[in-house]
Amino acid sequence: MLLITVLCLAGLAPGLATVWLVRRHTGWLLAVLAGVGVTAALPFLLLASLVLFPPLGIAVGLAAALAALRSYDRGRIWSATAWAGLTVLAVSCTRWFR
């Protein structure tokens, strides 16, 4: 569970940093919109990097598979299923299934 929390915070950190830096120049409304845009763009950036650099997809797939197995062993079915889905997504981006 700690790893999922760290990953969520790592995914939100660029958006929060954007809000913090942009708010001084434009105000809160545009800063929050910019932060939401940065946070929403991160999954697409990750998928693009997995497609363009297949060894990264293999590494992410292996790490997610290990996290899924660990979560299944601990009885956390929902988080384990999410990790397994990430494994399938990362490995499918490496174009092994063509």
Side-chain angles (χ1 to χ4, degrees):
M1 191 60 142
L2 180 65
L3 185 60
I4 292 175
T5 305
V6 169
L7 286 174
C8 287
L9 288 176
L12 292 175
L16 293 174
T18 301
V19 170
W20 184 256
L21 293 173
V22 174
R23 73 170 169 79
R24 290 183 281 167
H25 302 290
T26 63
W28 281 103
L29 180 63
L30 286 176
V32 169
L33 290 174
V36 168
V38 167
T39 304
L42 285 176
F44 300 113
L45 179 65
L46 176 64
L47 286 176
S49 62
L50 291 176
V51 169
L52 294 175
F53 188 63
L56 179 63
I58 294 168
V60 169
L62 287 175
L66 291 175
L69 290 174
R70 190 174 195 182
S71 292
Y72 278 126
D73 284 342
R74 291 183 177 172
R76 297 179 178 151
I77 301 300
W78 290 108
S79 64
T81 304
W83 283 114
L86 179 62
T87 301
V88 170
L89 182 68
V91 173
S92 66
C93 285
T94 62
R95 292 176 252 154
W96 275 3
F97 299 117
R98 278 192 184 177

